[in-house]
PDB file of all heavy atoms in Angstrom:
ATOM      1  N   GLY B  72     -24.613  15.219 -44.499  1.00  0.00           N
ATOM      2  CA  GLY B  72     -24.373  15.511 -43.122  1.00  0.00           C
ATOM      3  C   GLY B  72     -23.352  16.581 -42.797  1.00  0.00           C
ATOM      4  O   GLY B  72     -23.134  16.762 -41.550  1.00  0.00           O
ATOM      5  N   PHE B  73     -22.810  17.169 -43.839  1.00  0.00           N
ATOM      6  CA  PHE B  73     -21.782  18.238 -43.594  1.00  0.00           C
ATOM      7  C   PHE B  73     -22.334  19.597 -44.088  1.00  0.00           C
ATOM      8  O   PHE B  73     -23.126  19.686 -45.035  1.00  0.00           O
ATOM      9  CB  PHE B  73     -20.491  17.909 -44.332  1.00  0.00           C
ATOM     10  CG  PHE B  73     -19.635  16.797 -43.579  1.00  0.00           C
ATOM     11  CD1 PHE B  73     -20.101  15.453 -43.849  1.00  0.00           C
ATOM     12  CD2 PHE B  73     -18.752  17.161 -42.659  1.00  0.00           C
ATOM     13  CE1 PHE B  73     -19.429  14.427 -43.093  1.00  0.00           C
ATOM     14  CE2 PHE B  73     -18.102  16.118 -42.012  1.00  0.00           C
ATOM     15  CZ  PHE B  73     -18.400  14.882 -42.136  1.00  0.00           C
ATOM     16  N   ASP B  74     -21.740  20.644 -43.501  1.00  0.00           N
ATOM     17  CA  ASP B  74     -22.031  21.963 -43.962  1.00  0.00           C
ATOM     18  C   ASP B  74     -20.664  22.673 -43.972  1.00  0.00           C
ATOM     19  O   ASP B  74     -19.669  22.021 -43.637  1.00  0.00           O
ATOM     20  CB  ASP B  74     -23.013  22.675 -43.139  1.00  0.00           C
ATOM     21  CG  ASP B  74     -22.704  22.828 -41.746  1.00  0.00           C
ATOM     22  OD1 ASP B  74     -21.458  22.741 -41.333  1.00  0.00           O
ATOM     23  OD2 ASP B  74     -23.508  23.095 -40.802  1.00  0.00           O
ATOM     24  N   ALA B  75     -20.581  23.923 -44.265  1.00  0.00           N
ATOM     25  CA  ALA B  75     -19.321  24.617 -44.380  1.00  0.00           C
ATOM     26  C   ALA B  75     -18.472  24.623 -43.069  1.00  0.00           C
ATOM     27  O   ALA B  75     -17.346  24.442 -42.977  1.00  0.00           O
ATOM     28  CB  ALA B  75     -19.506  26.041 -44.856  1.00  0.00           C
ATOM     29  N   ASN B  76     -19.277  24.783 -41.937  1.00  0.00           N
ATOM     30  CA  ASN B  76     -18.738  24.816 -40.635  1.00  0.00           C
ATOM     31  C   ASN B  76     -18.061  23.426 -40.293  1.00  0.00           C
ATOM     32  O   ASN B  76     -16.887  23.414 -39.757  1.00  0.00           O
ATOM     33  CB  ASN B  76     -19.637  25.187 -39.552  1.00  0.00           C
ATOM     34  CG  ASN B  76     -19.903  26.698 -39.608  1.00  0.00           C
ATOM     35  OD1 ASN B  76     -19.139  27.544 -39.995  1.00  0.00           O
ATOM     36  ND2 ASN B  76     -21.146  27.044 -39.072  1.00  0.00           N
ATOM     37  N   LEU B  77     -18.857  22.389 -40.479  1.00  0.00           N
ATOM     38  CA  LEU B  77     -18.243  21.063 -40.213  1.00  0.00           C
ATOM     39  C   LEU B  77     -17.034  20.766 -41.034  1.00  0.00           C
ATOM     40  O   LEU B  77     -15.975  20.154 -40.622  1.00  0.00           O
ATOM     41  CB  LEU B  77     -19.337  20.033 -40.415  1.00  0.00           C
ATOM     42  CG  LEU B  77     -20.398  19.906 -39.259  1.00  0.00           C
ATOM     43  CD1 LEU B  77     -21.545  19.047 -39.823  1.00  0.00           C
ATOM     44  CD2 LEU B  77     -19.824  19.529 -37.953  1.00  0.00           C
ATOM     45  N   ALA B  78     -17.057  21.190 -42.408  1.00  0.00           N
ATOM     46  CA  ALA B  78     -16.058  20.901 -43.280  1.00  0.00           C
ATOM     47  C   ALA B  78     -14.744  21.699 -42.810  1.00  0.00           C
ATOM     48  O   ALA B  78     -13.619  21.140 -42.763  1.00  0.00           O
ATOM     49  CB  ALA B  78     -16.387  21.447 -44.617  1.00  0.00           C
ATOM     50  N   ARG B  79     -14.940  22.927 -42.385  1.00  0.00           N
ATOM     51  CA  ARG B  79     -13.682  23.616 -41.773  1.00  0.00           C
ATOM     52  C   ARG B  79     -13.127  22.933 -40.575  1.00  0.00           C
ATOM     53  O   ARG B  79     -11.949  22.908 -40.369  1.00  0.00           O
ATOM     54  CB  ARG B  79     -14.148  25.089 -41.482  1.00  0.00           C
ATOM     55  CG  ARG B  79     -14.022  26.081 -42.541  1.00  0.00           C
ATOM     56  CD  ARG B  79     -14.194  27.557 -42.078  1.00  0.00           C
ATOM     57  NE  ARG B  79     -15.447  27.866 -41.450  1.00  0.00           N
ATOM     58  CZ  ARG B  79     -16.584  28.023 -42.116  1.00  0.00           C
ATOM     59  NH1 ARG B  79     -16.549  28.060 -43.483  1.00  0.00           N
ATOM     60  NH2 ARG B  79     -17.673  28.295 -41.470  1.00  0.00           N
ATOM     61  N   GLY B  80     -14.007  22.432 -39.699  1.00  0.00           N
ATOM     62  CA  GLY B  80     -13.636  21.795 -38.522  1.00  0.00           C
ATOM     63  C   GLY B  80     -12.748  20.558 -38.834  1.00  0.00           C
ATOM     64  O   GLY B  80     -11.803  20.280 -38.235  1.00  0.00           O
ATOM     65  N   VAL B  81     -13.151  19.789 -39.813  1.00  0.00           N
ATOM     66  CA  VAL B  81     -12.443  18.623 -40.284  1.00  0.00           C
ATOM     67  C   VAL B  81     -11.000  19.017 -40.785  1.00  0.00           C
ATOM     68  O   VAL B  81     -10.015  18.492 -40.411  1.00  0.00           O
ATOM     69  CB  VAL B  81     -13.195  17.862 -41.372  1.00  0.00           C
ATOM     70  CG1 VAL B  81     -12.349  16.752 -41.940  1.00  0.00           C
ATOM     71  CG2 VAL B  81     -14.488  17.247 -40.761  1.00  0.00           C
ATOM     72  N   LEU B  82     -11.040  19.960 -41.745  1.00  0.00           N
ATOM     73  CA  LEU B  82      -9.796  20.408 -42.350  1.00  0.00           C
ATOM     74  C   LEU B  82      -8.834  21.055 -41.349  1.00  0.00           C
ATOM     75  O   LEU B  82      -7.595  20.820 -41.498  1.00  0.00           O
ATOM     76  CB  LEU B  82     -10.070  21.251 -43.578  1.00  0.00           C
ATOM     77  CG  LEU B  82     -10.727  20.631 -44.703  1.00  0.00           C
ATOM     78  CD1 LEU B  82     -11.131  21.715 -45.832  1.00  0.00           C
ATOM     79  CD2 LEU B  82      -9.852  19.501 -45.324  1.00  0.00           C
ATOM     80  N   SER B  83      -9.316  21.793 -40.371  1.00  0.00           N
ATOM     81  CA  SER B  83      -8.432  22.499 -39.425  1.00  0.00           C
ATOM     82  C   SER B  83      -7.934  21.438 -38.312  1.00  0.00           C
ATOM     83  O   SER B  83      -7.018  21.812 -37.620  1.00  0.00           O
ATOM     84  CB  SER B  83      -9.196  23.602 -38.715  1.00  0.00           C
ATOM     85  OG  SER B  83     -10.203  23.150 -37.921  1.00  0.00           O
ATOM     86  N   ASN B  84      -8.553  20.225 -38.299  1.00  0.00           N
ATOM     87  CA  ASN B  84      -8.132  19.282 -37.327  1.00  0.00           C
ATOM     88  C   ASN B  84      -6.871  18.484 -37.704  1.00  0.00           C
ATOM     89  O   ASN B  84      -6.276  17.797 -36.797  1.00  0.00           O
ATOM     90  CB  ASN B  84      -9.247  18.329 -36.929  1.00  0.00           C
ATOM     91  CG  ASN B  84      -9.162  17.908 -35.514  1.00  0.00           C
ATOM     92  OD1 ASN B  84      -9.025  18.700 -34.626  1.00  0.00           O
ATOM     93  ND2 ASN B  84      -9.376  16.587 -35.304  1.00  0.00           N
ATOM     94  N   ARG B  85      -6.533  18.584 -38.953  1.00  0.00           N
ATOM     95  CA  ARG B  85      -5.395  17.765 -39.341  1.00  0.00           C
ATOM     96  C   ARG B  85      -4.098  18.197 -38.613  1.00  0.00           C
ATOM     97  O   ARG B  85      -3.666  19.336 -38.765  1.00  0.00           O
ATOM     98  CB  ARG B  85      -5.078  17.875 -40.905  1.00  0.00           C
ATOM     99  CG  ARG B  85      -4.011  16.900 -41.302  1.00  0.00           C
ATOM    100  CD  ARG B  85      -3.761  16.907 -42.723  1.00  0.00           C
ATOM    101  NE  ARG B  85      -3.188  15.704 -43.380  1.00  0.00           N
ATOM    102  CZ  ARG B  85      -2.873  15.506 -44.566  1.00  0.00           C
ATOM    103  NH1 ARG B  85      -3.033  16.447 -45.488  1.00  0.00           N
ATOM    104  NH2 ARG B  85      -2.356  14.429 -44.957  1.00  0.00           N
ATOM    105  N   GLY B  86      -3.513  17.299 -37.866  1.00  0.00           N
ATOM    106  CA  GLY B  86      -2.192  17.619 -37.139  1.00  0.00           C
ATOM    107  C   GLY B  86      -2.465  18.596 -36.035  1.00  0.00           C
ATOM    108  O   GLY B  86      -1.389  19.126 -35.589  1.00  0.00           O
ATOM    109  N   ALA B  87      -3.809  18.862 -35.602  1.00  0.00           N
ATOM    110  CA  ALA B  87      -3.872  19.764 -34.556  1.00  0.00           C
ATOM    111  C   ALA B  87      -3.244  19.279 -33.206  1.00  0.00           C
ATOM    112  O   ALA B  87      -2.997  18.101 -32.952  1.00  0.00           O
ATOM    113  CB  ALA B  87      -5.489  19.919 -34.339  1.00  0.00           C
TER     114      ALA B  87
END
Side-chain angles (χ1 to χ4, degrees):
F73 284 83
D74 60 21
N76 286 332
L77 289 169
R79 272 193 299 280
V81 169
L82 292 175
S83 67
N84 211 45
R85 187 179 204 182

